Amino acid sequence: KRGALTDAYNTVNSLSSVENELELDKISSVEGIDIFICDENGEEVFASVRNAQNIFSMLREGLFDWDDRNPWEENGEDWRHRPEPPADGGPSDGGEAPPPDGDRHGRDRKIPFAEIAKEILGDEKYVVSPRHDERLGGAILSLTARLDNGNYLFLQTAMAPVDEAARTANELLVFIGIVALALGIVVFFVAASAATRPIRQLTEIAKAVSALDFSRKYEGKSNDEVGDLGRSVNAMSLKLEENINRLRDSNARLEKDIELKNSIDRMRKEFIANASHELKTPIALIGGYAEGLKENIAASSKDRDYYCDVIIDEAGKMDKIIKQILTIAELESAEAGAVERTPLDLSTLAEGAVRSFELLARQKGASIELDCPETIEVLADETAMIQAMNNYITNALHHVDGKGVIRVSLRREGERVRFGVYNSGAPIPEEGADQIWESFGKLDKARTRAYGGSGLGLAIVKKCVELHGGSCGFVNCEDGVEFYFIM
């Protein structure tokens, strides 16, 4: 506002003639400035206000202490209170002449604006003064100046628009401040969440890694320190996972080796105990009968022959057991890749095995049959296959019942071959299913020697078949049992 008054003063001062009322009206209307110009004698030259006395009153009441001066007063008398002059122009009732410069109310009296301006300006070219207008109830900014042409200029403008603008600006600033604060809080929390999200993710990954869970990975793509840390954590997690997996595999293999060692030790102990038990009886018999011969207990030649036959029979059984023990030891030390496999006609081998046991079957009152509808050839070790077939048939001869039925079958099942030996007799109880495949495994707890078996036949079959990548088993039928192997 001060600048607007100064610019208005410069504009008015630059006018060549104050009669250019259009330019003055523009200043008054556009800038909202009241303009009053008077000459050195106080004569009004231009006024943009309806009543020039307003300017004087405001100057008098606001800027200077004019309480002891009355511009309406002349020679100590207030012209505004003089009686009206008579109609004929004579003296009034009081005998006093009318005011020389106006009516008795002083409406046209020349107000000494020049005197007021001189009082205000002093030696200054113009003076800008703020004040509070009690009449208008607002702040006013006025400018009093001496123009270059000798006239005096009075400008005034209301400060209400400034106050209104300031109040509006303050309200707007408060509103903007609240909105900015709210947005700042939201942006802060969003930015803080975005900034700490990678750190929280790394914390969760670290907790997962400490619990040996390596599935969590850092997925950030930033190239800052947090990104480098995340990639380092991923590399560490991957390395730990690889090392722990290797340790787990090593521990699993170690546990398996320990279990296998314990199993082998247990089997070795059982094997030695069973072998000792199996060999103990024939050794005792051989020793007893030999001692009897030495002591001449057998008086007759017939008794001596009997003693000798027992000794020979028990010696044969010992030889058989020792050979089977050596066979099992050889099979256990062998590997599947070390088996010598050659093209074999299993149907021919099965037919030969059946034919070789026909005499023994007839001696036990049993019949042995072969069911092999086609020629079957495989790659296998001939000795192992012959031994597996013979042991199955021998086992059937030992356990066949009075019906005396033994059936040998050989057939294809898809890409594999199944060999089975059935014998009529008692079924195998479930609790003895695993025991019969062990070395010296027998279902009779007393280990009876009634049929002369050693308990190694089925164990040898299992070893032979497993070396060829096959499996063994048995099936309880209605009136008997069938043992088989598939390879």
Side-chain angles (χ1 to χ4, degrees):
K1 285 293 184 178
R2 183 183 295 270
L5 289 178
T6 304
D7 292 341
Y9 157 70
N10 293 328
T11 301
V12 173
N13 195 33
S14 65
L15 294 176
S16 58
S17 173
V18 295
E19 296 178 357
N20 192 350
E21 295 185 2
L22 178 61
E23 196 68 29
L24 296 176
D25 287 337
K26 285 183 180 179
I27 297 173
S28 177
S29 60
V30 173
E31 300 294 339
I33 298 174
D34 294 334
I35 303 174
F36 178 78
I37 302 174
C38 68
D39 58 16
E40 293 182 353
N41 298 320
E43 292 289 342
E44 178 182 320
V45 177
F46 177 83
S48 65
V49 293
R50 289 178 297 177
N51 189 356
Q53 293 181 11
N54 289 338
I55 295 179
F56 170 76
S57 299
M58 286 184 283
L59 289 172
R60 177 176 178 274
E61 296 172 3
L63 294 177
F64 299 97
D65 185 12
W66 294 93
D67 293 339
D68 56 344
R69 301 178 60 184
N70 188 353
W72 302 100
E73 184 177 315
E74 183 175 339
N75 298 324
E77 185 178 0
D78 192 340
W79 290 97
R80 293 174 295 177
H81 302 296
R82 289 181 179 180
E84 293 184 0
D88 56 2
S92 62
D93 297 337
E96 296 179 354
D101 297 323
D103 61 11
R104 65 187 184 92
H105 295 291
R107 287 190 297 272
D108 296 329
R109 174 174 170 76
K110 298 180 179 63
I111 302 173
F113 286 109
E115 183 180 354
I116 296 174
K118 292 175 183 178
E119 187 79 20
I120 293 173
L121 292 172
D123 296 333
E124 298 293 333
K125 196 168 185 179
Y126 68 89
V127 173
V128 179
S129 303
R131 69 182 183 83
H132 183 76
D133 185 2
E134 295 294 341
R135 183 177 62 85
L136 298 178
I140 297 295
L141 189 67
S142 63
L143 181 144
T144 305
R146 181 184 295 109
L147 300 177
D148 293 341
N149 57 13
N151 294 335
Y152 292 94
L153 172 67
F154 295 90
L155 302 176
Q156 72 174 14
T157 182
M159 295 295 291
V162 177
D163 296 336
E164 181 67 21
R167 184 167 55 254
T168 303
N170 290 336
E171 293 175 356
L172 182 62
L173 286 176
V174 171
F175 175 75
I176 292 176
I178 295 174
V179 173
L181 179 62
L183 291 177
I185 294 173
V186 173
V187 170
F188 170 78
F189 279 107
V190 171
S193 177
T196 58
R197 187 182 300 111
I199 299 176
R200 294 197 305 271
Q201 185 180 3
L202 288 174
T203 302
E204 295 298 326
I205 293 174
K207 290 180 180 179
V209 170
S210 66
L212 300 182
D213 178 12
F214 304 102
S215 61
R216 302 282 300 275
K217 300 296 180 184
Y218 178 73
E219 300 175 353
K221 303 297 183 181
S222 61
N223 295 321
D224 55 5
E225 291 80 1
V226 177
D228 294 338
L229 177 61
R231 286 183 285 274
S232 299
V233 169
N234 286 345
M236 178 191 68
S237 175
L238 181 61
K239 196 68 176 178
L240 283 175
E241 184 178 11
E242 292 176 355
N243 292 334
I244 289 178
N245 286 338
R246 282 199 294 268
L247 285 175
R248 285 174 176 171
D249 294 340
S250 300
N251 288 338
R253 288 194 298 270
L254 181 60
E255 290 177 358
K256 187 176 180 180
D257 292 342
I258 293 174
E259 184 179 355
L260 180 61
K261 180 181 179 298
N262 294 335
S263 177
I264 291 174
D265 290 341
R266 185 172 59 254
M267 291 172 61
R268 183 181 295 112
K269 292 178 181 179
E270 292 178 357
F271 184 83
I272 293 173
N274 292 331
S276 300
H277 181 82
E278 292 295 331
L279 294 174
K280 179 180 179 181
T281 300
I283 290 174
L285 289 174
I286 291 174
Y289 280 98
E291 186 178 350
L293 288 175
K294 183 178 180 181
E295 297 294 333
N296 292 320
I297 294 177
S300 64
S301 59
K302 184 178 180 181
D303 291 337
R304 285 195 298 272
D305 292 340
Y306 174 75
Y307 277 37
C308 290
D309 290 339
V310 171
I311 291 173
I312 294 171
D313 183 57
E314 295 300 327
K317 290 180 179 179
M318 288 178 60
D319 180 66
K320 180 180 177 182
I321 292 173
I322 291 172
K323 287 181 179 179
Q324 290 180 332
I325 290 174
L326 292 174
T327 300
I328 289 179
E330 183 180 357
L331 293 173
E332 287 181 346
S333 62
E335 296 182 358
V339 177
E340 184 179 356
R341 302 193 182 198
T342 58
L344 292 179
D345 184 358
L346 285 185
S347 56
T348 301
L349 293 182
E351 185 179 354
V354 169
R355 198 162 39 244
S356 64
F357 281 95
E358 284 181 349
L359 179 59
L360 292 176
R362 282 198 298 270
Q363 289 176 355
K364 292 199 67 169
S367 62
I368 183 169
E369 301 174 357
L370 175 63
D371 179 15
C372 180
E374 59 180 328
T375 300
I376 298 177
E377 293 184 354
V378 295
L379 289 175
D381 183 81
E382 183 176 1
T383 303
M385 291 295 98
I386 292 175
Q387 192 164 27
M389 291 179 178
N390 289 342
N391 286 1
Y392 264 175
I393 296 174
T394 301
N395 182 72
L397 286 172
H398 288 164
H399 295 89
V400 69
D401 62 2
K403 295 181 180 179
V405 178
I406 299 175
R407 285 194 300 269
V408 178
S409 61
L410 178 65
R411 61 179 178 273
R412 286 192 178 276
E413 290 186 350
E415 297 181 356
R416 313 197 75 180
V417 176
R418 185 182 189 278
F419 176 83
V421 178
Y422 165 83
N423 68 271
S424 59
I428 297 176
E430 293 294 332
E431 58 272 13
D434 296 332
Q435 183 181 356
I436 61 176
W437 302 106
E438 298 177 0
S439 298
F440 300 103
K442 294 181 181 180
L443 294 179
D444 53 334
K445 302 302 181 183
R447 297 184 181 272
T448 177
R449 304 176 75 246
Y451 60 84
S454 62
L456 295 172
L458 295 180
I460 292 174
V461 173
K462 183 178 180 183
K463 296 294 181 183
C464 290
V465 173
E466 287 180 348
L467 286 175
H468 287 79
S471 60
C472 300
F474 70 90
V475 179
N476 284 323
C477 305
E478 279 189 25
D479 51 356
V481 180
E482 181 188 20
F483 280 85
Y484 67 88
F485 66 76
I486 300 175
M487 54 175 289

